[in-house]
């Protein structure tokens, strides 16, 4: 069940319109990135965290890791222009057979989902977290409906995404050689015609992307507080 995790945290948070890295914003007096890091830092099966960061955020992240006593960060790796580049830079440093890639912007991941993904990746090589789509999805071109996509087989894909590290390194290398840019790591593995398993996750595992997501996040933190008796 052991693994290492790459956490891409080098984005600019443009859609959040916060004027700084959205991972430095606070939820219940704790920075978003610390909420995310704590899940892995407290997991006995996590054998190291590789954090991809923007060079301008290095001091801020170093201060937070010290202040909140995060123990398992192995290395702060320089992020790249795109999320895919940030992940690849960190992936080259990983030293474990199973690697998870998890967005720093998803602070509500549950360890049960992490462990399910690790077990699945050990047997199949690649596994991703996802939840069934709840809305109707349509393809729209120039402001008009082109096609309604049958909903029963549609899933909203999240992270963590878990892989055998050799497979993911090859997938990133082939994508770089082919000039392919995917919005998630699994798409790089799929283009190699390699099967990717899906593990059902939680609707709480949101990615903090736009300002409205902060309201949902505050509600989730409040629910977690109530469920843990305020500890
Ligand atoms: N060049 C990049 C871009 C994104 N990320 C990280 O990848 C995760 C998912 O990306 P996203 O939510 O899109 O974050 P941003 O790129 O910061 O958002 P935006 O597109 O609104 O600027 C985030 O934890 C982000 O920090 C990264 O490490 N390197
Ligand atoms: C990887 C991801 O979180 C899966 O849903 C998503 O594709 C990231 O997209 P972003 O635009 O880089 O946040």
């Amino acid at each position: 069940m052991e693994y290492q995790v790459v956490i891409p945290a080098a984005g600019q948070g443009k859609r959040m319109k916060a004027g700084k890295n959205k991972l430095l914003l606070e939820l219940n007096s704790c920075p978003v990135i610390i909420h995310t890091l704590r899940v892995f830092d407290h997991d006995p099966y996590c054998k190291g965290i590789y954090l991809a960061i923007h060079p301008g955020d290095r001091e801020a992240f170093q201060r937070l890791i010290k202040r909140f006593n995060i123990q398992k960060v192995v290395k702060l790796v320089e992020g790249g222009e795109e999320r895919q580049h940030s992940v690849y830079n960190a992936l080259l440093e990983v030293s474990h057979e199973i690697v998870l890639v998890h967005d720093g912007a998803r602070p509500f991941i549950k360890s049960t989902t992490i462990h399910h993904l690790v077990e699945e990746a050990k047997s199949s090589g690649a596994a991703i977290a996802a939840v069934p789509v709840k809305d109707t999805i349509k393809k729209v071109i120039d402001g008009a409906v082109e096609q309604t996509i049958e909903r029963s087989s549609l899933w909203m894909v999240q992270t963590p995404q878990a892989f055998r590290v050799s497979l993911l390194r090859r997938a990133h290398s082939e994508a770089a050689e082919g000039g392919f840019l995917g919005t998630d790591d699994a798409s790089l593995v799929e283009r190699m015609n390699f099967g990717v398993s899906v593990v059902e996750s939680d609707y709480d595992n949101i990615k903090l992307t736009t300002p409205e997501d902060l309201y949902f996040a505050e509600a989730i933190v409040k629910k977690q507080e109530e469920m843990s008796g305020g500890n």
Side-chain angles (χ1 to χ4, degrees):
M1 191 95 92
E2 294 179 349
Y3 65 93
Q4 288 183 328
V5 60
V6 165
I7 297 183
Q12 295 175 51
K14 291 191 284 261
R15 288 169 288 179
M16 185 58 81
K17 301 186 173 75
K20 65 177 184 178
N21 188 333
K22 61 189 177 182
L23 305 186
L24 299 173
L25 296 174
E26 294 196 347
L27 294 173
N28 202 21
S29 309
C30 176
V32 168
I33 189 60
I34 296 298
H35 283 279
T36 307
L37 287 171
R38 274 178 171 165
V39 178
F40 296 98
D41 208 46
H42 295 167
D43 182 2
Y45 295 105
C46 178
K47 298 304 174 188
I49 300 169
Y50 295 84
L51 197 54
I53 58 156
H54 186 283
D57 290 333
R58 178 173 290 275
E59 270 186 42
F61 278 106
Q62 283 174 328
R63 262 199 316 275
L64 290 173
I65 287 164
K66 187 161 187 254
R67 177 179 156 205
F68 288 91
N69 194 30
I70 303 294
Q71 299 286 319
K72 293 185 181 177
V73 174
V74 176
K75 192 164 184 180
L76 297 180
V77 177
E78 187 160 336
E81 189 182 339
E82 300 292 341
R83 178 186 180 281
Q84 183 171 313
H85 305 140
S86 298
V87 171
Y88 196 15
N89 291 349
L91 199 52
L92 298 173
E93 305 286 340
V94 164
S95 59
H96 203 281
E97 187 209 351
I98 298 294
V99 63
L100 266 67
V101 181
H102 182 62
D103 296 328
R106 290 184 188 268
F108 303 120
I109 183 57
K110 293 183 173 65
S111 50
T112 48
T113 305
I114 291 169
H115 299 155
H116 192 168
L117 283 160
V118 170
E119 285 309 294
E120 187 54 43
K122 275 169 71 175
S123 63
S124 70
I128 60 175
V131 288
V133 160
K134 294 191 276 189
D135 298 321
T136 292
I137 306 291
K138 295 180 186 286
K139 185 176 179 182
V140 175
I141 306 287
D142 297 333
V145 174
E146 174 93 358
Q147 177 193 2
T148 297
I149 301 168
E150 209 278 314
R151 186 168 70 185
S152 61
S153 60
L154 291 182
W155 287 64
M156 293 193 299
V157 172
Q158 306 170 340
T159 67
Q161 303 193 350
F163 306 89
R164 270 199 294 272
V165 70
S166 55
L167 170 65
L168 190 59
R169 281 193 182 121
R170 186 152 44 92
H172 269 267
S173 170
E174 291 192 13
E177 279 161 27
F180 178 80
L181 204 51
T183 55
D184 74 341
D185 296 276
S187 60
L188 312 188
V189 169
E190 293 157 35
R191 70 189 287 272
M192 293 164 59
N193 296 318
F194 193 97
V196 176
S197 307
V198 177
V199 167
E200 186 158 359
S201 177
D202 301 276
Y203 288 105
D204 280 2
N205 185 27
I206 62 172
K207 181 163 68 73
L208 306 188
T209 308
T210 57
E212 304 76 16
D213 295 324
L214 296 175
Y215 311 141
F216 304 136
E218 290 291 353
I220 293 167
V221 169
K222 190 166 180 291
K223 183 183 89 172
Q224 287 180 341
E225 285 266 304
E226 286 160 5
M227 289 173 70
S228 66
N231 299 331

